[in-house]
Each structure stands twice: as C-alpha cells, then as structure tokens.
Amino acid sequence: AGSRAGAILAVVALAWGGTTAAGAVGSPAGAATRGGVASETASRILAAVQKAEADASGVHLAGRITQPSTTVSFSLDLTGAGDGEGVFRQAGQTLRVMKVGGDVYVRAGAAFWRSNGAGAEAARMDGKWIEAPAGNADFTSLAQFLGLDRLTTQLFPAGSTPQRKATAAEVGGRRVVLLVGRATAGGRSETTTLYVAATGTPYVLEARATSGGEAGVLTFTHYGEKVRVRAPPHPLDIASLGLGGRHTGAGGVPTSTTPGG
C-alpha cells in the first residue's frame, strides 16, 4: 500500500526523475546574474538559474502532464528554501500536497486511497493529512517537485548535459534562452527544454518535456511572491497506518499562513 499511495506523483515524475545535470553545479554564476545570460554558456546559465531560484522568496508553478492513458494537472506555490504546497488533479481525483522542512504531507479522499491500495485504512485516511519523511521512497517525486531550490536541474533527463539551442524565442513577451537536455533510457528518447529569461534575473519561465508517449508543460509565474508554508495540525503519521516510512518530525517549520484547502 505504501508504494501505491504515490501513484499520481509517479506520473508527475515523467521523464524528470534525473539527477542534477553534469557540469552545472559549481560553475561560476556571477557574470551571468549581473548582466543577463544571453551570451553565456549552458553550464553558466544553469548555474545562474540555480542561484537565482534558490534566492527567490517564492514562485507559482502550474503544469499539465499527458500520457496515453491519463492526464495530470497541478498548481503549486514553491519557495527557494525547498518548501511548497499545492494541488494535483487526475481523473476526477484531487490530491493536496505539502512539504515543510524534512517532511511531506498529502491529503485526499477515501476513494483515492482505496484505488491506491490503502484497503481498510482508506476510511481512516479520508480527508486527513498524512505525514511522511521527505526521504521516504514512496514520496521522492513529491519532495523533488515541492522545492524550487533544486527543481530546475532535476527536470533534465538523468545523465544529460544541457546544451544551448540557437533559436530566438519569447515567453510572455520576454526574450528567453533555450537549454535542452537529451538522453535515451530504456529504449525511449527523453528531452527537456528550459526557457530561461535572457535579461534580468535568469529565472526559468517555462519548461517542456517529452519521454516516449508522455509530454509535459510547466509554467513559472509570480517570482518573488511571499510563499510561507506551515505544517498542518495533527497529521496522521504514515508509520501508524502500516504504510511504511518512519516519522522524522517537521523540523524547521516557519510560523505563518495556514495550509490551504
């Protein structure tokens, strides 16, 4: 039951279960952030993106991922510090999610939990926040998506090295630089393209990915908004439900707005 509780989140992972792109971390970012990234190399652009987004107080992320048999849409508010909250929707079901410090929280109706193997525990979980450590293997995809600090580099396929694409493009009227990562895994081609603001702060404005018969689009808006996430009161520990995982406590919880929904 534990592994199946993350079904929607596994879909969200798509081709984006990769590790940080090769050559990106540790590249000098100062020049790129001072004068824009229009003339920078791919590795310097990506390093500048990492720094800019880790420093961002918040951003709104909306996305839609389509597979041959299903579609997942989501709306999230993220912080550069690695916290976030929002909603995933798939096939008429809603999953509310949250990450605060070292813990993740999910909330859904009994029908969702029953369809994902919770069995007799589904009624107890109905409408309740369920807490699990961010390191719990069942919730890895969620933890990666609910933090702006490392999300953009994790979008690239595992083992790929991003390259600049010599194409003039705009997103929302702003000129962008395109970074493309490609890889082949399990016999299928995976491609991710980041659309990075060419002038000003080098934020990612859009991301597009394809992997086999799957495709996804993410849009990043409202950079700089104040996103504050507070752990929900009295969640059910996933360990107490017999679904696996070990409680680690919600360390580093900021005191601010109450969770939505």
Side-chain angles (χ1 to χ4, degrees):
S3 61
R4 297 205 48 170
I8 286 182
L9 305 176
V11 175
V12 172
L14 181 62
W16 304 333
T19 56
T20 301
V25 177
S27 299
T33 57
R34 285 195 296 271
V37 296
S39 61
E40 297 291 346
T41 64
S43 63
R44 288 174 64 87
I45 292 171
L46 197 54
V49 166
Q50 287 179 283
K51 183 180 186 306
E53 301 205 336
D55 291 342
S57 58
V59 69
H60 180 72
L61 171 62
R64 186 177 183 87
I65 296 172
T66 57
Q67 292 185 316
S69 60
T70 190
T71 298
V72 178
S73 62
F74 51 95
S75 177
L76 307 171
D77 291 307
L78 310 178
T79 76
D83 294 340
E85 64 180 336
V87 179
F88 290 84
R89 293 185 173 86
Q90 178 190 34
Q93 295 184 328
T94 297
L95 180 68
R96 299 190 179 277
V97 298
M98 187 181 302
K99 179 178 179 290
V100 183
D103 293 290
V104 295
Y105 305 85
V106 295
R107 187 174 74 176
F112 169 82
W113 295 117
R114 272 194 298 270
S115 67
N116 286 286
E121 293 284 8
R124 182 183 174 194
M125 299 166 73
D126 183 25
K128 302 291 195 309
W129 283 104
I130 311 301
E131 179 185 18
N136 184 311
D138 298 338
F139 297 94
T140 299
S141 296
L142 171 59
Q144 290 177 341
F145 249 72
L146 287 179
L148 182 60
D149 55 340
R150 293 182 299 167
L151 172 61
T152 50
T153 50
Q154 289 171 334
L155 295 178
F156 286 106
S160 68
T161 300
Q163 304 291 327
R164 285 195 56 155
K165 186 175 182 180
T167 300
E170 291 186 352
V171 173
R174 296 187 62 181
R175 190 161 60 95
V176 294
V177 175
L178 276 61
L179 294 184
V180 182
R182 294 186 176 90
T184 301
R188 68 179 186 177
S189 175
E190 302 176 356
T191 302
T192 296
T193 304
L194 298 186
Y195 296 73
V196 180
T199 58
T201 306
Y203 290 135
V204 174
L205 305 183
E206 186 173 286
R208 292 178 176 268
T210 59
S211 178
E214 305 166 348
V217 180
L218 308 181
T219 58
F220 298 74
T221 59
H222 298 92
Y223 276 104
E225 68 178 3
K226 294 185 181 299
V227 176
R228 298 289 186 270
V229 186
R230 182 179 180 181
H234 313 301
L236 295 178
D237 189 332
I238 193 170
S240 72
L241 297 166
L243 300 180
R246 180 172 59 85
H247 178 67
T248 59
V253 178
T255 56
S256 56
T257 58
T258 56

